[in-house]
Amino acid sequence: MKVRAVLVLLLTVVIKVQAQQDSLKKTTFTLATMYSNNISYYGQSTNEKMPYILANLTVRFPVGIYLSAGSYKLFNYGSGLSEADLGIGYDYDFNDRFNMGVAYTRSFFPANSPLLQAANQNNVNLTTTYDWSWLKTSFSADYAFGTQNDVFISLNNSKEISLGNLFNEKNMIFIEPAVELIGGTQRFYETYVIEKGKRDQANGKGKGLELPRNSDQTVTTTYNRFNLLSYNFKLPLSLSRSSYIAEISYQLSVLGPKAQAELKHQQSLFGFAFYYQF
């Protein structure tokens, strides 16, 4: 899974499944569900744990264009959806080794959302991937904008390792360890601090977080600055068949030296995911 700004993220979130060769000749539908013990935004999370479940549908056309719709629900926040998103993208394979894709995602958040990414409702992503056979390298650039605007870049190196078959040759087990470096700006954090303060006051918890007692110019300069945000180490274990992938994943995220104090500087993420293509 690549950084979206999410997407994604981010973290708006973007979900991809390894398609079979014959799927390139027809329109495919991919359903995905995922659970994680905490949510992160480019490797960054608050000290408050936010487990969630996510659902996504992606329709991919033979020409390389795809449409997606998804949503996720935080278990410890409110009764409705915590986020919903719509996306459109285009992937192009130059050859068997080199791929490039561009995507736009629009996210919708409820009022007073506790999510770090709520200030950036729009995300434009450009990703290039090259398979060296012994290693797969992906470079991703995101422009996230809305109430705030931020830029993120990530470099990901991964290696798929087959562990053999389960029961029969149709069920392949593999791991794909990856190391990812993410850099970017943090204008979104200013909005998060302000909105958290409002929520805390409404809940009778005092003033909550406060912005640094400097001039507006100093604060803006700090958040505008491009820094190394996180180091991410990923280890997914997957069971693959012709039409589905089931995955258990672990990710260790360590923030850069200039991370904001309210963000969790080291965290372990555990997840379960299921992807079905038809």
Side-chain angles (χ1 to χ4, degrees):
M1 187 171 57
K2 301 175 183 178
V3 174
R4 299 123 248 27
V6 200
L7 72 68
V8 120
L9 95 139
L10 205 168
L11 292 321
T12 292
V13 178
V14 177
I15 300 177
K16 290 190 177 181
V17 175
Q18 292 182 333
Q20 305 300 314
Q21 291 298 320
D22 58 354
S23 69
L24 299 177
K25 304 174 184 178
K26 63 181 181 180
T27 299
T28 61
F29 297 81
T30 302
L31 288 171
T33 59
M34 177 187 297
Y35 164 82
S36 178
N37 68 324
N38 202 3
I39 197 164
S40 70
Y41 187 51
Y42 295 96
Q44 303 167 103
S45 296
T46 64
N47 287 316
E48 178 185 3
K49 184 169 286 189
M50 297 182 183
Y52 70 94
I53 188 168
L54 173 152
N56 178 274
L57 171 64
T58 299
V59 182
R60 187 176 297 273
F61 302 98
V63 292
I65 295 175
Y66 62 89
L67 305 173
S68 67
S71 64
Y72 58 84
K73 166 64 182 168
L74 299 174
F75 288 110
N76 57 358
Y77 182 79
S79 58
L81 291 176
S82 303
E83 185 265 359
D85 60 78
L86 297 172
I88 183 171
Y90 175 73
D91 284 335
Y92 183 76
D93 295 324
F94 290 90
N95 51 50
D96 291 339
R97 293 181 178 271
F98 183 55
N99 169 276
M100 180 175 289
V102 61
Y104 166 75
T105 303
R106 168 63 170 163
S107 299
F108 305 89
F109 300 93
N112 298 321
S113 171
L115 299 173
L116 289 170
Q117 61 266 41
N120 294 332
Q121 302 93 341
N122 304 278
N123 183 278
V124 177
N125 169 265
L126 176 66
T127 299
T128 61
T129 301
Y130 190 83
D131 191 342
W132 307 85
S133 295
W134 54 275
L135 191 71
K136 182 168 66 176
T137 299
S138 296
F139 176 81
S140 181
D142 292 274
Y143 175 55
F145 59 99
T147 305
Q148 298 286 358
N149 57 87
D150 287 288
V151 175
F152 305 95
I153 62 170
S154 66
L155 178 65
N156 183 296
N157 286 297
S158 63
K159 172 63 177 178
E160 183 178 305
I161 303 172
S162 175
L163 300 180
N165 299 318
L166 181 66
F167 303 128
N168 57 57
E169 65 279 359
K170 294 182 179 180
N171 298 313
M172 184 179 73
I173 302 176
F174 62 92
I175 60 173
E176 191 171 356
V179 178
E180 181 180 51
L181 300 179
I182 301 178
T185 57
Q186 290 181 300
R187 297 181 185 90
F188 67 88
Y189 185 74
E190 182 176 359
T191 299
Y192 166 77
V193 170
I194 294 171
E195 293 301 321
K196 187 177 189 301
K198 292 178 181 178
R199 292 195 302 273
D200 287 348
Q201 287 183 355
N203 295 328
K205 297 182 180 179
K207 295 182 179 180
L209 295 172
E210 294 184 358
L211 291 172
R213 298 180 182 276
N214 303 68
S215 67
D216 292 340
Q217 183 177 2
T218 301
V219 173
T220 301
T221 300
T222 300
Y223 293 141
N224 284 356
R225 194 171 297 153
F226 189 94
N227 292 309
L228 177 63
L229 299 181
S230 66
Y231 310 83
N232 301 299
F233 307 92
K234 305 176 182 180
L235 187 62
L237 172 64
S238 302
L239 171 64
S240 175
R241 198 176 168 88
S242 58
S243 58
Y244 70 79
I245 296 177
E247 180 181 277
I248 301 174
S249 62
Y250 170 76
Q251 176 178 316
L252 173 64
S253 293
V254 180
L255 297 194
K258 296 184 179 180
Q260 304 298 333
E262 175 65 11
L263 301 180
K264 193 171 183 178
H265 283 237
Q266 182 174 315
Q267 66 168 330
S268 291
L269 301 173
F270 297 92
F272 305 92
F274 184 80
Y275 309 89
Y276 183 79
Q277 186 178 86
F278 56 96

